[in-house]
Amino acid sequence: MNDKPNKQYEQRLIVVLVLLLLALCAANLWFGSVQIPASVVWDILCGKEPEKEVWKFIVLESRLPQMVAALLSGAALAVAGLLLQTAFNNPLAGPSILGIDTGASLGVALVMLFWGGTFGVSEATTLTGFSAVIAGAFLGSVTVLGTILFFSTIVKNNIMLLIVGIMVGYITSSVISLLNYFATAEGVHSYTIWGMGNFSGVTGEQLPYFALFVSVGLVIAILLIKPLNALLLGDRYAANLGVNIKLTRNLLLIVTGLLTASTTAFCGPISFIGLAVPHIARLLLGTSNHNTLLPMTLLCGAVTALLCNLICILPGESGILPINAITPVLGAPVIIYVIINQRKIQYFN
């Protein structure tokens, strides 16, 4: 595929996606279980008092945090998937396939089901509540990703490495099942609800912390654009270009773990976005150059997550659908297309 896409086409594509992003943001604020006129939603965002005080609460305390959480989660998972696909030189690598989000789920399960919502090694370092969930998710995802990277130094075949990742995911899932078996009914219920995945669990008070974690991860990912492009040529060529391979791998580990753990802790395990969206961005651009691919992946991830969230809230008074009931419907066809046309599409060149 051409690594120098037409700049005019690229600019038009960005404009279309930005307009689509804005439209989806507006739709996520407008639609919901309670019907609120669009003009009233706009007035609330502008600081005007509505006729009903409850409308203000719904827009500012529920729909706005949910919309921002979906935007950030989509961008974070998509970029995490792109980083993994480049690091492993494998189009089927992703947080879900390699078990990274399952590792985060294991960390959260240990906190919720085993430690009862508290986590620490001493009285001075004990974490409680939501901070414990975040810490558990981060440690779990980094542990699994570190295991996969360790096996990548032993197993050279990408397919075999992918199978290793799947097996690690099975092991962590087995431990989670055991924890569920011995946990209390209340703990199992809380963990099950969390595991369905949704963007509505992030409150206005939690949103700044979530945005901070994701923003740090995305900024570091953007700073890694040049080393990522060098890795496309292979480790030897990248080393000859002055890239510190070990440092780059460690940074990829930290960034991917941070992005995946943050979204999993705040929103639950979200499937397929990290796996499918980087391919959508590549197909739209026709390039593997991260100078344009990474920003496009970020934008496509945000659009995809907002679209999925909109579909989830469309039932209105009937309730909100779990996010993982929608993402496979959109993501699976993309992966099937990639598998069928893998020989025709040169992703890593």
Side-chain angles (χ1 to χ4, degrees), residues 18-19 21 29 142 160 192 220 270 335:
V18 170
L19 292 176
L21 179 70
L29 292 173
V142 169
M160 293 298 103
T192 301
I220 298 176
I270 310 297
I335 302 306

Side-chain angles (χ1 to χ4, degrees), residues 83-95:
L83 296 181
L84 287 174
Q85 289 170 11
T86 301
F88 287 102
N89 194 29
N90 192 321
L92 295 180

Side-chain angles (χ1 to χ4, degrees), residues 86 89 227-238 241 348-349:
T86 301
N89 194 29
L228 285 169
N229 281 335
L231 287 177
L232 295 176
L233 303 174
D235 288 352
R236 292 184 179 179
Y237 286 101
L241 292 174
F348 307 104
N349 46 43

Side-chain angles (χ1 to χ4, degrees), residues 81 84-86 88-99 158-159 161-163 166 272 274-276 278-279 282 331-332 334-340 342 347-348:
L84 287 174
Q85 289 170 11
T86 301
F88 287 102
N89 194 29
N90 192 321
L92 295 180
S96 298
I97 294 297
L98 291 177
N158 287 333
I159 299 298
L161 184 61
L162 196 62
I163 294 175
I166 294 173
F272 274 98
L275 181 61
H279 296 298
R282 289 190 188 95
V334 176
I335 302 306
I336 293 173
Y337 177 83
V338 169
I339 293 173
I340 294 175
Q342 190 172 4
Y347 284 117
F348 307 104

Side-chain angles (χ1 to χ4, degrees), residues 76-334:
L77 290 173
V79 170
L82 175 63
L83 296 181
L84 287 174
Q85 289 170 11
T86 301
F88 287 102
N89 194 29
N90 192 321
L92 295 180
S96 298
I97 294 297
L98 291 177
I100 297 172
D101 60 349
T102 310
S105 298
L106 175 58
V108 173
L110 287 170
V111 172
M112 285 187 174
L113 306 177
F114 187 73
W115 278 297
T118 61
F119 167 87
V121 294
S122 67
E123 293 184 2
T125 58
T126 297
L127 300 175
T128 59
F130 205 75
S131 59
V133 172
I134 296 173
F138 180 74
L139 291 175
S141 63
V142 169
T143 300
V144 170
L145 185 54
T147 303
I148 300 301
L149 288 178
F150 168 75
F151 279 110
S152 70
T153 62
I154 302 174
V155 181
K156 300 302 180 182
N157 186 287
N158 287 333
I159 299 298
M160 293 298 103
L161 184 61
L162 196 62
I163 294 175
V164 170
I166 294 173
M167 293 303 104
V168 172
Y170 277 129
I171 293 173
T172 54
S173 296
S174 178
V175 176
I176 292 173
S177 298
L178 290 173
L179 289 172
N180 273 294
Y181 180 80
F182 291 106
T184 63
E186 182 181 354
V188 172
H189 177 74
S190 299
Y191 181 77
T192 301
I193 296 298
W194 172 86
M196 290 181 179
N198 71 86
F199 300 123
S200 60
V202 182
T203 65
E205 291 77 16
Q206 298 165 353
L207 190 60
Y209 299 102
F210 182 37
L212 176 63
F213 292 140
V214 172
S215 298
V216 170
L218 293 177
V219 168
I220 298 176
I222 292 172
L223 295 176
L224 289 172
I225 285 179
K226 289 185 178 179
L228 285 169
N229 281 335
L231 287 177
L232 295 176
L233 303 174
D235 288 352
R236 292 184 179 179
Y237 286 101
N240 290 334
L241 292 174
V243 175
N244 188 324
I245 302 298
K246 184 177 181 180
L247 177 60
T248 302
R249 298 283 186 186
N250 290 337
L251 286 175
L252 286 174
L253 167 65
I254 295 172
V255 173
T256 307
L258 177 62
L259 293 175
T260 305
S262 299
T263 54
T264 305
F266 283 90
C267 306
I270 310 297
S271 63
F272 274 98
I273 291 181
L275 181 61
V277 170
H279 296 298
I280 297 175
R282 289 190 188 95
L283 292 171
L284 289 174
L285 287 175
T287 180
S288 56
N289 186 346
H290 288 77
N291 286 312
T292 53
L293 180 58
L294 194 146
M296 184 60 66
T297 300
L298 189 154
L299 189 57
C300 288
V303 168
T304 302
L306 285 170
L307 176 60
C308 291
N309 187 62
L310 179 62
I311 296 174
C312 287
I313 63 178
L314 282 181
E317 296 180 359
S318 300
I320 299 176
L321 298 174
I323 191 69
N324 284 330
I326 305 300
T327 52
V329 177
L330 300 180
V334 176

